[in-house]
Amino acid sequence: MAQAGAQALLHGDVRARIVRLSLPSLAAMLASGLGTLLDALMLSRLGSGATDAAAVGFPLLTLYQTLGFTLGMGAGALMSQAIGRGEETLSAHAAALSLLLALALSAALSALGLLLPAPLLRLLGAGPESAAQAALYVRYLLLSAPLLCLSLVLSSLLRARGHAGAYGAAFAAGAALGAALEAVLVLRLGWDLTGIGIAMIAREALTLLLLACCALRFRLPLARPAPRVLLQMLRYGLPTLLRQGLMSVSGVLFNREASALGGAALGGMGLAVRALSLVSSAVIGFGQGFQPVCGVCAGAGRMDRVREGFFFCLRAVVIALLMLGALLFPFAGALLSRFGAPPEAAAFGARVLRAQSVVLFAQGAVVLFNMLTQSLGLTVRAALVATSRQGFVLIPLLLLLPRRFGETGLILCQSVSDVLSLLLALALTRGILPRPEKADGTKTG
């Protein structure tokens, strides 16, 4: 997105611009989420041990997403602000540094995990009955995750420069290849976990290859990494780092609490979390259409457009999630059972889905409030909003409610956290966006 692209974000219908930018992001996030959900559903067909392996691997997957989202959103937000101010050199430095760090950190994490598999499995909460299958699944996850991390960064860089349509097709193609390979290798040839692992690596490799081609096609500007840019990137990316990092921590705590209640609880919780992550992916994908608009308009001083775009996104997400929750509540059990989940795991997972369906709107609203504060560079407020529902609100609930109320307490933890986090987000973001003026110069509402 050169200056002509920046001008397009500063003029015209802001809602139409957000929708246009969000559709490829939405497709990409849904494709990525469907890929990981399909992995979990395939594992659930292999028995309770493989179902548990999916739950064990989810916090590890979240850790790599933490790296990719942190570096990608940090660099992307910095790039959008820089482009709004006409600073192309700063934009290029941010792109180069984010890719270099993504490659180095994700590769180092995978190497460490492959060298020390037993301590890693214990940390992730794997039980003795699922340790063997979890070890094999985690091995493939460690091999594919650096590819995912780089893809997330590249997609953020392309989106920040206005090339939204380019990366949506890349994620969709990768997901399609993964699904086709799993159908052949697992369902036809019976390769089980090995087939799932090969499909996972192929999915991420194709996605990254296509994104790299998109970057070359659109001549994504790169420069030698400038260390001074790192602090600016971290300023924008810190809320994502805290949110996603605490999601990994809370995922481990969920696994440990569920393991104490039995294999059905661990497997059911893992399936429910994977299914709900698809909803989170959709909200993030839609919100990513707002972020470049927010960054460029804020950099140019057009806070009126930031306000208009944010409240358009908030209304759309809340209405959509209220409707989805109303559909999900009565059909949660049938949904998990239809995909071949073990009966006891499906029953527990259905209870989790029903509890979350009531408050899905709160989850979506918190994500958007986080994106607003993050894109505006309000680091402290963004960090507090980002870390609430998966961190300092959820973690105490996980340490308290299951011990007091057993299964019901564990099931309600995330729902209670979402409601409390929404109240906190409303308090922290009050007054950020100026009210529009009336004709007489006074503020509305």
Side-chain angles (χ1 to χ4, degrees):
M1 179 177 61
Q3 289 305 309
Q7 290 301 314
L9 299 183
L10 293 170
H11 303 283
D13 189 340
V14 68
R15 296 168 297 181
R17 178 60 59 177
I18 289 172
V19 170
R20 181 179 175 184
L21 287 174
S22 68
L23 288 177
S25 302
L26 184 61
M29 293 300 295
L30 284 175
S32 180
L34 282 170
T36 59
L37 178 59
L38 181 61
D39 292 342
L41 294 175
M42 285 290 183
L43 287 166
S44 71
R45 291 177 172 271
L46 305 180
S48 59
T51 303
D52 295 349
V56 167
F58 190 75
L60 184 60
L61 175 64
T62 304
L63 179 61
Y64 283 92
Q65 290 175 334
T66 298
L67 276 178
F69 282 131
T70 298
L71 295 170
M73 289 189 176
L78 178 58
M79 288 171 69
S80 294
Q81 292 266 3
I83 291 168
R85 297 189 298 266
E87 300 177 10
E88 279 290 331
T89 302
L90 176 60
S91 172
H93 283 313
L97 185 58
S98 62
L99 287 170
L100 179 63
L101 286 174
L103 176 61
L105 294 175
S106 62
L109 274 177
S110 286
L112 185 62
L114 291 169
L115 289 172
L116 302 170
L120 177 61
L121 290 174
R122 286 197 297 269
L123 178 64
L124 294 173
E129 66 281 354
S130 61
Q133 289 175 301
L136 183 57
Y137 176 66
V138 165
R139 187 182 308 152
Y140 284 112
L141 197 155
L142 289 169
L143 292 172
S144 66
L147 305 176
L148 170 64
C149 185
L150 284 168
S151 294
L152 292 174
V153 174
L154 260 179
S155 65
S156 292
L157 301 182
L158 288 166
R159 182 177 63 253
R161 299 191 64 82
H163 305 307
Y167 67 87
F171 278 94
L177 175 64
L181 284 176
E182 287 189 350
V184 173
L185 299 178
V186 180
L187 300 181
R188 295 290 298 274
L189 300 180
W191 286 15
D192 296 344
L193 275 167
T194 299
I196 293 172
I198 292 173
M200 185 164 36
I201 294 172
R203 178 181 70 219
E204 303 304 344
L206 178 61
T207 301
L208 179 59
L209 176 62
L210 294 177
L211 286 171
C213 291
C214 291
L216 292 173
R217 174 189 172 192
F218 292 111
R219 298 179 182 177
L220 183 68
L222 294 177
R224 293 179 61 186
R228 63 181 178 82
V229 179
L230 179 59
L231 290 179
Q232 298 180 66
M233 280 176 48
L234 289 178
R235 176 191 170 195
Y236 289 102
L238 180 62
T240 299
L241 173 64
L242 295 175
R243 182 188 70 236
Q244 293 288 127
L246 286 171
M247 189 183 298
S248 294
V249 174
S250 62
V252 171
L253 290 176
F254 264 122
N255 283 348
R256 291 180 177 275
E257 294 295 334
S259 294
L261 296 174
L266 178 60
M269 181 64 72
L271 287 173
V273 168
R274 292 274 183 136
L276 291 167
S277 69
L278 189 61
V279 178
S280 300
S281 296
V283 175
I284 292 172
F286 181 68
Q288 283 174 346
F290 166 70
Q291 283 187 300
V293 175
C294 179
V296 171
C297 291
R302 291 295 308 275
M303 294 302 293
D304 57 318
R305 289 178 67 80
V306 174
R307 177 185 175 87
E308 182 183 358
F310 174 73
F311 282 107
F312 163 70
C313 292
L314 186 62
R315 286 191 296 270
V317 165
V318 168
I319 291 172
L321 292 184
L322 284 172
M323 295 172 61
L324 177 61
L327 289 173
L328 183 60
F329 190 91
F331 299 113
L335 180 66
L336 293 181
S337 297
R338 187 176 183 84
F339 284 108
E344 292 184 352
F348 189 92
R351 294 174 64 191
V352 177
L353 289 180
R354 291 190 188 101
Q356 276 283 275
S357 67
V358 179
V359 296
L360 280 179
F361 72 95
Q363 173 187 336
V366 170
V367 170
L368 288 178
F369 278 116
N370 175 224
M371 287 184 163
L372 171 68
T373 51
Q374 186 173 5
S375 296
L376 293 177
L378 303 173
T379 308
V380 175
R381 297 194 202 191
L384 290 172
V385 174
T387 56
S388 58
R389 68 175 297 268
Q390 294 291 343
F392 66 83
V393 174
L394 176 60
I395 290 175
L397 292 173
L398 280 169
L399 297 175
L400 175 64
L401 294 186
R403 288 165 174 75
R404 183 71 182 272
F405 303 107
E407 285 188 3
T408 301
L410 179 61
I411 289 168
L412 290 177
C413 279
Q414 188 65 73
S415 299
V416 175
S417 176
D418 287 350
V419 173
L420 295 177
S421 298
L422 177 57
L423 296 176
L424 177 65
L426 289 169
L428 289 172
T429 55
R430 185 177 182 180
I432 286 179
L433 298 176
R435 295 188 180 94
E437 293 186 354
K438 297 180 181 179
D440 59 4
T442 61
K443 299 291 185 179
T444 61

